[in-house]
Amino acid sequence: MKFAVIQFPGSNCDQDCLAALRGLSGVEAEYVWHKETSLRGWDAIVLPGGFSYGDYLRCGAIARFSPIMRAVMDEARSGKLVIGVCNGFQILCEAGLLPGALVRNRSLHFVCDMVTTRVEAADSPFTRGMPVGTLLRLPVAHGEGCYYADAATLRELNERQQVLLRYCDEKGCVTPTANPNGSVENIAGICNRERNVFGLMPHPDRACEERLGSSDGARIFESMLRSLATDRAAA
Amino acid sequence: MSTVTSSPQPLDPPITSELIAKHGLTPDEFERIKKILGRAPNFTELGIFSVMWSEHCSYKNSRKELKKFPTSGPNILVRAGEENAGVVDIGDGWAVAFKIESHNHPSAIEPFQGAATGVGGIIRDIFTMGARPEFLLNSLRFGPITGEGKNVTANRRLFTGVIAGIAHYGNCIGVPTIGGEIYFDESFEGNPLVNVFCLGVLQHEQLARGAARGVGNPVFYVGAETGRDGLAGAAFASRELTEESREDRPAVQVGDPFKEKLLLEACLELLATDAVAGIQDMGAAGLTCSTCETASRGGTGVEIDLAKVPKRETGMTPYETLLSESQERMLIIAHRGKEDVVRRIFDKWDVPCAEIGRVTDDGMMRVLNNGSIAAEIPAKPLADEAPLYSREARKPTTDYTDEDLLREISASSAKSVVESLRRLLRDPSIASKNWVYRQYDHMVRTGTVVRPGSDAAVFHLRAANKFLAATTDCNSLYCRLDPREGGRIAVAEAARNLTCSGAVPLAVTDNLNFGNPYKPENFWQLREAVEGLAEACRAFATPVIGGNVSLYNESPAGVVDPTPTVAMVGLIEREEWITTQFFKAAGDVVILLGDFGDEMGGTHFLKVIHGRKAGRPPRLDFERELALQKALRELIQAGQVQSAHDCSEGGLAVALAEACFHPAGLLGAEIDLSGAGGLRLDQILFNESQSRVVISTVPTSADGVMGLLKERGVPAQRLGRVGGDALAITVGEEKLRWPIREIFDDWFHSIGAIVRES
């Protein structure tokens, strides 16, 4: 399967994503420069973390206008798998591919730590094979990762089971102290209504090797691989 | 005197003795300048000499001392002083470039930008070598943040500002900050120490040189536009901080990590081609320093035209353009005919790029401005022939012995030592730094195998598939009381920390932070500390591959405690040798490598509990230390060591408590120190005698470990077992007990609570 890792100026997890993906069997991964205009021929698209364009305006607000983003939007609408990690999640929200917004952490500080998240829905291409309640240990590193959406959007996200990951404690309880950034309802990651676009603040790319303290992140990428394989078999 | 060939610019002030003094040049130095030029300098040239001959750029008061360091070794590929950073071979065709540098003065005036640009500067030093920056460490010192009052508020502002600045720059550019040290002491009030370290990895053949080679080759300016920020920052950093220093705020630069990220990627992409003949970053003294240094190293001349330099302000004079310390800029000497390669790559990254001159054969640094010559100086004398001084040194008159101190301070009761350990664990210098490192992205680049909080950070260099351990160390209090011994101990402790993590020490970069060298006591401290460092670096076979000297660290309140920060890097040959300081399993046997010790001078216990910064600091015996480290590595490599933690500030009691604080789950320990016999309780628990490491081992290995240590002549004491929900220490009749959760909370939350209450 071919994964495109988009490089925006200021992306700084592009190399980590590429290394993590290339570490999985059955994956070809390459960079795609933000000035490109087409993503035809790729099976999945990764928007990596970082500080695109320095994030001097709102996070992701400028990257959203990069030439490549038109192609990302077209491919997303056509059903291709798109995953946005950290800054990638912020860009997906700014681009309107995911609802809600990511605002300054409640603590007003950047937070880098290993956290526990709980899988909230198993029927997405990103959580396939992970029953609801599965715990994933993943690193977070962000200053603006506090997820916010209005009440109507939240209701819809919950009704349609678009929340894929919530921050929880080591036992799987969703508590305020387990929330690293003040996200509403401990939301760590959501997908779109069509379930092919996924944004999350934690870094699966930083949790693909036991030596780094967790390989749970690989389960998300492997889930994508399985989904792609199934689709391909069906086609 | 011959005629002035370079034209004075309109509005240039006349060169008067006041103007010369204002540029920090002595009348003798001015005479020397005239001799070099064969005439009097114009205003621009005076400015150029002023920054190049500042302490910051020329090391004129310290260079003679620095020559005492051992600088060569079988692994050393680029030695200290040759380039922007030293380079060490790590095997299989890979090498690492690393360096530490201070940003003390800017951080004192404007903590956020001062610290941020410190990070930016050191990262540039590393990628200038052709190395990809992999991780950062920082060694920080501030005035006390506990208590109340105007000074404490100011100290907290500096502390939180510096942390935020480091986080801002490091997080954005995507280089993880994975370790270092932070201390708090009155002597740093108003003059914090901000020493930042960066390490990068490269293949041998990627090594880039900062030399202007090849007459006729084009000289490119790449990176951010030049503005009026940071004018003559190097000269500013070569003065004491005073009440008026605030007015120097324009000398502090403003950093843009996003621009540097683009510059970094573009430069590394360019260096992977064959287009580059030389490359040099524009740090202190900016365009001036980079042009004359590349010319000097290349044995050539460089001619540049200021009219072609990208600027973000209009009306900048040659003086301003040359002395600006605007950040995120580099000078690149390309091979003739490869100009388009340079332009194409910088265009791709949207980084400004301009051809501003060429390499010449006349050894001159010639600066044109719209056709006229703004400055014309022989490059080599300017870059390399600053006057060197040996200042007067005088030993300060302070002398204490341990015995006197112990007589003055009554012995602690069992009850009071229980409270003393808790106070020590809460003391910000010893307490957990999680409030700080949680704000640093310490996991980007997916190499951080041992995260901040253990004796040394351990990093996996993915491209090279190598494991490195890195640490920074210095006990400023020891150095204040005995700079030579303090210097020796700084190196020994760094090596011990690396050994505890499973590494063999490779090399050192040092940051010498001292006061005004014109004061004989300060110069004596500098000389003694350097000699201590040099002795120890020879003993541990860890050459100094570069570093930085920061003098004039004085505020109106006085001089800082002398701080020769040692950053040391080691190589861990095999992944399974990586060891952390935390106990791993209940039932494991706890063993002390080394003796119980008895030295109380300069201890953290005396400072924190009794308010005394006094006594003779502990003595270091190289032979004992080397034997201990060698034996410990042997045990680790044989798979016999579950955890290893060195005893430093706070002595054995603090080391034992910290070993209990495993991030994945606290573990108590039952310890018996009755064997120490005959000493006071506080002396047993808190002495800081050197060459001691607490290890734990599985029960079945304990006898073998003790046997091997005996064979190697390393004293060792069996202390007890891991387990229980308390740190319980028995000393003869006395039974001391600390519930582990309570002391963990003391230690873990201390700094966060202090910052939040302000």
Side-chain angles (χ1 to χ4, degrees), chain B residues 711-722:
Chain B
E711 265 175 46
R712 299 289 179 268
V714 176
Q717 336 287 331
R718 218 169 166 133
L719 299 185
R721 277 178 185 277
V722 177

Side-chain angles (χ1 to χ4, degrees), chain B residues 569-602:
Chain B
V569 174
L571 184 66
I572 306 178
E573 286 287 341
R574 291 159 82 172
E575 186 169 8
E576 58 269 31
W577 294 347
I578 297 170
T579 307
T580 64
Q581 70 182 36
F582 312 108
F583 293 144
K584 300 297 184 302
D588 283 353
V589 175
V590 181
I591 294 169
L592 172 67
L593 274 57
D595 287 320
F596 286 110
D598 59 1
E599 291 155 291
M600 293 299 279

Side-chain angles (χ1 to χ4, degrees), chain A residues 9-12 15-16 19 33 35 51 53-54 56 109-113 139 141 205-206 209 211-212, chain B residues 132 171-172 174 256-258 261-262 347-350 438-445 451 460 462 575:
Chain A
S11 290
N12 65 27
Q15 295 169 27
D16 298 350
W33 188 236
K35 289 177 187 171
F51 288 69
Y53 296 89
Y56 289 132
H109 289 299
F110 189 95
V111 58
C112 177
D113 210 343
D205 47 315
R206 297 185 186 184
E209 288 175 310
R211 69 161 66 103
L212 300 176
Chain B
R132 174 166 286 279
N171 296 354
C172 181
D256 183 345
F258 170 59
K261 170 70 174 166
L262 302 183
D347 185 51
K348 171 188 164 186
W349 289 94
D350 294 318
R438 268 169 63 93
Q439 296 184 54
Y440 300 150
D441 189 340
H442 52 263
M443 298 194 239
V444 65
R445 297 203 60 71
R451 296 203 283 267
H460 177 230
R462 187 171 294 278
E575 186 169 8

Side-chain angles (χ1 to χ4, degrees), chain A residues 63-178:
Chain A
R64 171 234 182 293
F65 293 104
S66 251
I68 195 67
M69 280 309 290
R70 181 157 297 281
V72 171
M73 286 188 247
D74 289 346
E75 298 290 348
R77 287 195 192 102
S78 76
K80 196 167 279 181
L81 294 190
V82 178
I83 181 170
V85 176
C86 199
N87 193 226
F89 185 12
Q90 293 163 339
I91 296 167
L92 290 174
C93 289
E94 285 288 338
L97 287 170
L98 290 172
L102 292 147
V103 299
R104 190 101 187 263
N105 294 347
R106 194 70 60 79
S107 67
L108 304 183
H109 289 299
F110 189 95
V111 58
C112 177
D113 210 343
M114 187 68 102
V115 301
T116 308
T117 59
R118 190 177 77 182
V119 173
E120 299 286 292
D123 64 339
S124 82
F126 308 93
T127 53
R128 185 181 283 233
M130 288 185 261
V132 171
T134 301
L135 301 186
L136 302 178
R137 297 267 296 155
L138 300 171
V140 290
H142 55 249
E144 302 185 26
C146 174
Y147 183 74
Y148 177 80
D150 62 28
T153 308
L154 278 176
R155 198 175 322 115
E156 199 180 308
L157 282 173
N158 284 316
E159 277 169 13
R160 296 176 186 271
Q161 297 194 321
Q162 285 171 246
V163 178
L164 299 187
L165 292 177
R166 283 185 215 274
Y167 302 108
C168 65
D169 66 16
E170 283 157 27
K171 296 189 184 74
C173 301
V174 175
T175 65
T177 47

